[in-house]
Amino acid sequence: MTDLIFGASVYFPPLFKAVLLGFFLWLLLHRLLRDWIYSGEIWHPTLLDLSLFVLCVSAAMWLLRVIA
């Protein structure tokens, strides 16, 4: 059983790593841009949030690829 737990902790798929890292990056950017996003200058703030999240996950995937 301990081998299974250790093996699962070693093998953590890169996509999950990118989503986790991208989420924290999105949290940081969302905090910085929140006033601008919800000020009314943007047509749909939710779509901007979603696209910002996708860009953050993509950047995290690229970052993980460059580092490894």
Side-chain angles (χ1 to χ4, degrees):
M1 187 67 167
T2 58
D3 292 339
L4 181 65
I5 293 171
F6 178 72
S9 67
V10 170
Y11 177 70
F12 198 62
L15 183 62
F16 293 136
K17 289 180 187 176
V19 169
L20 190 62
L21 182 63
F23 177 70
F24 287 115
L25 183 62
W26 175 81
L27 281 176
L28 177 71
L29 286 176
H30 180 75
R31 171 73 74 174
L32 294 173
L33 299 174
R34 182 175 47 194
D35 293 333
W36 177 65
I37 291 172
Y38 295 113
S39 68
E41 294 180 30
I42 309 234
W43 175 67
H44 207 291
T46 306
L47 291 177
L48 182 66
D49 263 345
L50 184 61
S51 63
L52 186 64
F53 179 72
V54 169
L55 287 173
C56 288
V57 169
S58 299
M61 186 65 132
W62 176 81
L63 187 67
L64 287 172
R65 227 181 131 119
V66 167
I67 290 174

